[in-house]
Amino acid sequence: KVNMVTKLIDGTFPDYTRVVPSINPEEPKILFRKADLQLAIRAITAGASERTRAVKLTWEKEGKLRVSSKWIDLGFEGSIEIDAKTNVKEPFNIGYNALYLRNVLDVSQGEEIAINCATDNSPGVIVAPGATDFQTILMPMRV
């Protein structure tokens, strides 16, 4: 026997399209191979504790993405560079929860992923070029 308790919520909800940031070609953008970032995140967080949740992504103008994390318990900071294509003119940093970013990458389609964000504290719009039905919004963390 299963009992289910529910509550009907009445109300007017906002149009979700007003909340989702639009992609502006002038904003910082980076395109990379999904498998490269998955491997870098797994490697950089392999020995991290539960307290170390964030990974910092640094978008370099030279076509590199630096993935770094601090292992607070050990006093260690490590980083891994992967190849990427970017439109940034100066290095750009943003932090994400490593588990959330890994989950997004695991369910994304295609071999390439693009991250677009206006500032280091604005939501990142993650898309898979060529897959018109995949778009994810990921909130940044302070790193």
Side-chain angles (χ1 to χ4, degrees):
K1 180 178 178 181
V2 175
N3 289 331
M4 185 179 294
V5 179
T6 63
K7 180 178 179 181
L8 178 63
I9 301 173
D10 279 334
T12 305
F13 298 96
D15 180 12
Y16 78 92
T17 58
R18 292 177 37 206
V19 179
V20 175
S22 60
I23 297 174
N24 179 347
E26 299 301 315
E27 291 175 352
K29 173 184 178 180
I30 191 157
L31 178 70
F32 51 87
R33 285 182 21 125
K34 176 176 74 170
D36 292 346
L37 185 57
Q38 286 173 314
L39 185 61
I41 292 171
R42 283 189 175 91
I44 206 69
T45 60
S49 69
E50 190 64 32
R51 292 180 14 194
T52 308
R53 300 182 317 258
V55 291
K56 180 168 73 171
L57 305 180
T58 303
W59 308 358
E60 306 279 345
K61 63 181 179 180
E62 297 85 24
K64 296 287 183 187
L65 172 65
R66 182 183 314 272
V67 182
S68 58
S69 181
K70 292 182 181 178
W71 297 2
I72 297 169
D73 297 337
L74 301 175
F76 170 77
E77 181 174 353
S79 68
I80 297 174
E81 280 189 357
I82 62 174
D83 291 328
K85 297 175 189 170
T86 183
N87 67 345
V88 297
K89 295 173 182 36
E90 297 296 324
F92 183 84
N93 298 309
I94 193 160
Y96 290 116
N97 180 301
L99 178 61
Y100 296 165
L101 184 55
R102 281 179 45 190
N103 289 341
V104 167
L105 294 173
D106 289 345
V107 299
S108 66
Q109 304 160 351
E111 293 184 17
E112 290 187 319
I113 293 292
I115 299 177
N116 301 270
C117 49
T119 65
D120 60 353
N121 60 2
S122 65
V125 181
I126 302 172
V127 296
T132 58
D133 58 350
F134 180 81
Q135 181 176 1
T136 302
I137 309 303
L138 193 58
M139 297 304 292
M141 290 182 70
R142 233 180 263 277
V143 289

